[in-house]
Amino acid sequence: MNYKFSRRHFGQLALAGTVASGLSYLGNKAFAQTPSLNIPNLNIVGISSSSIITTDQTVVPEVNITESDDSTAPNIVPTVIKPVGLVLQSLITGNSQVLGDKSTPLLEPNEILSGFTSLSNGTLIVAITPVTTSRRQATPTRITFLDTPVKTLIVSGLKRNQQLGSLLGTIDGRLIGLVGKKNGTPPIVLVDIDLQTGEISPISKVKFPNDERVINLAECPDGKLYTSLIGLNGDTTLVQLDSNQKKPIVLAQLKVDGKALNNGLQSLICSATGQLFAFGAMRYETPNVVYSVDKNSGNMTRLQDFDATQITLARS
C-alpha cells in the first residue's frame, strides 16, 4: 500500500479518497440511519462482509446474433458480484469503506467474520474463520490487522472443531478472545492471542456453563471484564468475569422495553466513562441496534439502528 493512514484519522473514519491497492471509498452510499444525538462522543465503528459489483471487460458475453444488415453487437459490459472483503462504517458520520478487492480478498465466500475489536494503539483487527462444508482442508483461522499495510497471522493452538471469536483489545495492549466449538457451543475458554505469532493460550480458570453460549467480550476502564451468556431460547444474561472466581458473576437478565432479550448480542463495548453498550436485535428484527445497558437492572435503552455485523470503539 502506498497511502499512510493516521491512526487518529482512521479511527474517526474520515474515509476520503481511494487507496490504490483496493480500499475503495463508498462516499455515495446511502444509509437509513442518521447521526445520533444520544451518543455524540462515542466513536463506534461497525464491520460487515461486502460484495463488490465489478465490470470486467475482458470477459466476452455470449450474444445470440442473427444475420441482418446491422452486424454491430450490443454494447454489453458484464458484471460480476463476488464477496471480496469487509466494510467499515462510522456510526457518527455514516461513511463507509470497503477493504479488499477481487484480487486480494480479505474475506472469502466460505468464511465468516468471527471477531472484531480495536487494539490500544488504534489498530482495528478481525478474526476470520472458515466454514467447512466438506472434508477438504479449510483455510486456517486467522487474525487480520486492518492497518497499512494489512497484516495477517494464522492462529495456532486451535483444535479442528474450534473457532476463535469475540476479540477484545485490552487496555494494557493485549489481545484476548473466546474459543469454542465451530457451532457456537461450549466448552468456552478465555484465551490470550500472541500479537506476533498468532498463538493462543488459556488465561483464565473461569468455567462457563455447558448449556449456554458466549459470543462477546468488553472491558471497562476499571479493568473489569463483561460478557453475556445466551440460553437455548436466546435469553441473554449479563455477567462479569473475575479471575478470582471460578464461575461468571451474574449481574442481570438483559431486557428491551421490559421484554427479555431473546436473540443474544453481536457485540458488547464499554465507554471511557464505564458505560456498557450492547449491539444486537430482538429475534426476527433487523437491522441491529446500539443500546445502552444498565448493569444492575439489565434494562437496554435503544439508541440507534446500525446496519453492521459487529461493532467496536475506535481509539486514537
Side-chain angles (χ1 to χ4, degrees):
M1 293 191 178
N2 55 10
Y3 184 89
K4 180 65 176 176
F5 278 112
S6 159
R7 282 200 175 96
R8 181 179 297 275
H9 290 165
F10 191 81
Q12 294 172 343
L13 285 182
L15 304 181
T18 299
V19 181
S21 60
L23 285 83
S24 304
Y25 175 47
L26 302 184
N28 295 324
K29 183 174 181 180
F31 294 92
Q33 74 272 9
T34 56
S36 171
L37 298 178
N38 295 321
I39 44 177
N41 298 317
L42 199 61
N43 196 357
I44 290 177
V45 181
I47 196 166
S48 57
S49 59
S50 69
S51 295
I52 297 178
I53 300 177
T54 62
T55 57
D56 186 355
Q57 301 189 43
T58 64
V59 179
V60 179
E62 293 184 4
V63 180
N64 189 11
I65 302 176
T66 58
E67 290 186 0
S68 67
D69 293 336
D70 184 3
S71 60
T72 303
N75 184 17
I76 299 176
V77 178
T79 60
V80 177
I81 301 177
K82 180 182 179 182
V84 296
L86 304 171
V87 177
L88 293 177
Q89 298 182 53
S90 167
L91 179 65
I92 295 177
T93 67
N95 288 344
S96 70
Q97 185 173 31
V98 177
L99 279 68
D101 59 26
K102 65 179 182 178
S103 62
T104 55
L106 297 182
L107 186 70
E108 297 282 1
N110 63 339
E111 296 175 329
I112 61 170
L113 173 70
S114 58
F116 179 49
T117 191
S118 59
L119 300 179
S120 59
N121 65 3
T123 301
L124 297 175
I125 186 170
V126 295
I128 297 173
T129 298
V131 178
T132 56
T133 57
S134 67
R135 295 182 179 180
R136 188 177 64 177
Q137 183 67 31
T139 304
T141 298
R142 60 191 183 277
I143 53 174
T144 297
F145 301 76
L146 305 181
D147 208 340
T148 48
V150 171
K151 173 187 173 183
T152 295
L153 290 176
I154 300 300
V155 175
S156 60
L158 290 175
K159 295 180 181 178
R160 194 168 191 176
N161 65 338
Q162 289 181 325
Q163 76 173 28
L164 170 67
S166 307
L167 295 183
L168 173 65
T170 64
I171 296 171
D172 61 3
R174 295 178 300 139
L175 178 65
I176 64 175
L178 293 171
V179 169
K181 292 183 179 180
K182 286 189 175 181
N183 60 5
T185 59
I188 308 294
V189 181
L190 185 66
V191 299
D192 183 89
I193 304 132
D194 191 299
L195 289 169
Q196 302 302 318
T197 66
E199 184 177 1
I200 64 170
S201 55
I203 57 172
S204 173
K205 295 183 179 180
V206 174
K207 186 176 181 179
F208 295 98
N210 288 326
D211 57 350
E212 294 180 298
R213 292 180 294 127
V214 190
I215 56 172
N216 48 62
L217 283 171
E219 181 186 32
C220 285
D222 59 6
K224 292 181 179 179
L225 291 178
Y226 298 87
T227 187
S228 59
L229 306 180
I230 307 170
L232 294 176
N233 297 319
D235 51 299
T236 309
T237 304
L238 180 67
V239 300
Q240 181 186 331
L241 302 180
D242 187 333
S243 59
N244 296 318
Q245 301 290 329
K246 292 184 179 181
K247 296 181 179 180
I249 302 171
V250 176
L251 300 180
Q253 185 177 33
L254 295 177
K255 300 179 288 291
V256 179
D257 297 328
K259 298 179 181 179
L261 180 65
N262 59 5
N263 200 32
L265 293 175
Q266 300 302 311
S267 302
L268 193 65
I269 59 177
C270 192
S271 71
T273 61
Q275 174 64 53
L276 276 179
F277 293 88
F279 185 60
M282 295 290 280
R283 191 175 299 166
Y284 308 124
E285 293 184 6
T286 57
N288 287 320
V289 180
V290 179
Y291 299 90
S292 63
V293 180
D294 186 305
K295 299 175 188 175
N296 297 316
S297 68
N299 290 329
M300 298 168 58
T301 301
R302 187 188 193 100
L303 298 179
Q304 186 174 340
D305 292 358
F306 194 28
D307 191 8
T309 302
Q310 295 187 40
I311 63 172
T312 190
L313 280 176
R315 308 183 193 184
S316 56

